[in-house]
Amino acid sequence: MTKALFFYGSLRDLSLLDIVLGRPLPAIEVTPTHLDNFAVFGVKEGPFPMLVAQQGAAADGVLVSGLTDHDIDRLNFYEGGFSYDLIQVTLANGTSAQVYFCPPQTWTKTTPWDFDVWADDWADMSRFAAEEVMGHYGKITASEVAEMFGQIRARAWSKVLAQQPKTSQEVFAGDVEIRQKSRAYTGYFAVDEINVRHAQFDGSMSPVMPRSYFVAGDAALVLPYDPVRDRVLLVEQIRMGPLGRSDPEIWHLEPIAGRIDPGESAEQTARREAVEESGLALNALETVSTGYSSPGDSTGYFHIFVGVTDLPDETAGVGGLASEHENIRSRLISFDKFFDLAETQALANTPVTLLAYWLAHHRSRLRSAV
């Protein structure tokens, strides 16, 4: 027996629904309708809505008929980690259907939800996130997916950022065929394994090759620079890369950095992280570089800035967010000392070295502007 569900939120996007169901929709009937005495509100915790009982209101949506038990199981997996359960309702057109509903105290209600606004701002990210979520179907539980959904959204947002226009390198644009793809590991980060072949410069196709890559989100990096005092701020903290490499120097000097959260621009992240890590309000932001941190084995993409600001002596200290287990010491370093560290290869962090040479090239301009 097939079932009918009423969707009032993001699953009104039929492309997203295709991903969740794992099959196209032609055999399914979709009918616009609404649910009386309910309203749809956004929630503070994420770009998705909740259904709230409200006398005299009407929740717009679509009735989707012809859903199988397998479809419902996939939908329950997708919705289950967010405390949504199916309840029976009667729609305005008299049809009986089920709808995903959560208790009012589950999420923090905000403003009335607008599907068109959501589609403009969040549909692409939600589709990318759904692909990863549904890749876990039958392998882990919905609650386990919910625990890492922040990371899933961040990885999805990096794919959205990757679609934004950028300057072309004018490089070869040959065909690439992914024959097989699997998620080998998912946790705070993820690792994908693929079998791939690609066009070669002579026009032939390469053999199928097994490859893997580390899946990370985009990050913003910013070096605070005070052109009046002619000094920079670097942060010092423990890093897992040196630990895993058995490097005796596990604490490293770095620029301020952080993951670009869904909905943020790189510039917004740079300013937010400066406040969180060092209590700094940045003035002008200068773009230094954008690019892959290690394109041979990682999706990680860096947006690197210099942030013009004031760096008085009291700026140095220990900070970071306890909720993110950050223990970060801010260090004030004169430009001359900073550049000497780069020249003597004492900086073990490639973005910091890049920033040192960029600042050496642009320092006179920045200082003359104050």
Side-chain angles (χ1 to χ4, degrees):
M1 175 183 292
T2 61
K3 296 178 174 65
L5 266 65
F6 175 71
F7 296 113
Y8 58 87
S10 58
L11 287 174
R12 288 167 60 184
D13 182 297
L14 300 185
S15 296
L16 177 60
L17 186 57
D18 276 352
I19 295 168
V20 174
L21 297 181
R23 66 186 182 98
L25 291 174
I28 296 175
E29 182 181 351
V30 179
T31 307
T33 185
H34 62 271
L35 176 62
D36 288 331
N37 299 318
F38 283 89
V40 184
F41 285 88
V43 303
K44 181 180 178 181
E45 293 81 1
F48 54 87
M50 64 184 293
L51 196 62
V52 178
Q54 184 173 304
Q55 193 67 30
D60 291 330
V62 293
L63 172 66
V64 178
S65 305
L67 295 167
T68 67
D69 288 341
H70 181 66
D71 292 333
I72 301 300
D73 194 55
R74 289 180 65 93
L75 285 161
N76 287 341
F77 177 79
Y78 183 72
E79 297 282 3
F82 300 95
S83 302
Y84 286 85
D85 294 313
L86 286 171
I87 63 170
Q88 200 75 28
V89 295
T90 300
L91 302 174
N93 63 5
T95 303
S96 178
Q98 291 182 304
V99 63
Y100 283 103
F101 183 80
C102 63
Q105 67 273 16
T106 305
W107 304 110
T108 308
K109 185 180 73 172
T110 57
T111 57
W113 192 73
D114 188 307
F115 174 75
D116 292 329
V117 171
W118 172 87
D120 288 342
D121 295 343
W122 298 107
D124 288 340
M125 187 207 74
S126 298
R127 294 181 196 119
F128 285 128
E131 288 174 355
E132 179 167 346
V133 169
M134 297 313 297
H136 295 300
Y137 175 70
K139 301 173 184 176
I140 61 177
T141 66
S143 60
E144 288 173 318
V145 171
E147 288 177 2
M148 58 185 178
F149 206 77
Q151 296 299 325
I152 291 174
R153 279 205 189 106
R155 290 190 282 268
W157 187 245
S158 74
K159 293 185 176 183
V160 174
L161 295 176
Q163 311 309 309
Q164 296 180 355
K166 56 181 71 71
T167 301
S168 173
Q169 302 176 74
E170 298 181 358
V171 293
F172 185 53
D175 292 336
V176 177
E177 298 177 4
I178 298 177
R179 296 293 185 86
Q180 185 177 353
K181 179 180 176 180
S182 61
R183 177 59 49 89
Y185 166 79
T186 303
Y188 191 81
F189 295 109
V191 175
D192 282 350
E193 292 182 343
I194 60 173
N195 288 333
V196 61
R197 71 173 191 154
H198 61 82
Q200 302 184 116
F201 293 121
D202 64 4
S204 64
M205 294 295 289
S206 74
V208 176
M209 305 171 295
R211 292 290 184 267
S212 59
Y213 52 82
F214 181 78
V215 184
D218 284 29
L221 291 68
V222 60
L223 175 73
Y225 172 62
D226 185 334
V228 175
R229 298 176 179 87
D230 197 25
R231 61 186 179 188
V232 303
L233 180 142
L234 293 176
V235 296
E236 180 183 353
Q237 60 184 317
I238 189 170
R239 305 316 271 156
M240 296 301 104
L243 178 65
R245 187 171 175 259
S246 298
D247 190 325
E249 281 196 341
I250 301 172
W251 275 258
H252 273 231
L253 291 175
E254 298 181 321
I256 290 170
R259 182 187 71 191
I260 300 177
D261 286 341
E264 282 188 329
S265 67
E267 291 80 3
Q268 289 170 329
T269 301
R271 293 182 183 279
R272 172 176 58 77
E273 289 289 343
V275 172
E276 291 178 0
E277 293 193 4
S278 297
L280 287 175
L282 302 177
N283 300 322
L285 273 179
E286 298 270 343
T287 301
V288 174
S289 176
T290 59
Y292 290 92
S293 57
S294 182
D297 56 19
S298 174
T299 68
Y301 196 89
F302 286 170
H303 305 253
I304 304 176
F305 304 95
V306 163
V308 178
T309 188
D310 296 322
L311 294 175
D313 291 345
E314 57 268 23
T315 307
V318 177
L321 292 180
S323 61
E324 297 184 7
H325 308 288
E326 292 178 332
N327 182 238
I328 299 170
R329 180 164 65 179
S330 298
R331 300 267 298 273
L332 295 173
I333 301 174
S334 70
F335 171 78
D336 288 340
K337 175 63 181 294
F338 180 46
F339 190 71
D340 183 64
L341 289 170
E343 285 281 83
T344 57
Q345 291 82 50
L347 296 171
N349 181 286
T350 302
V352 174
T353 303
L354 169 64
L355 283 159
Y357 286 106
W358 185 95
L359 190 54
H361 182 67
H362 293 274
R363 175 171 165 246
S364 295
R365 172 177 63 83
L366 296 177
R367 300 201 76 194
S368 64
V370 297

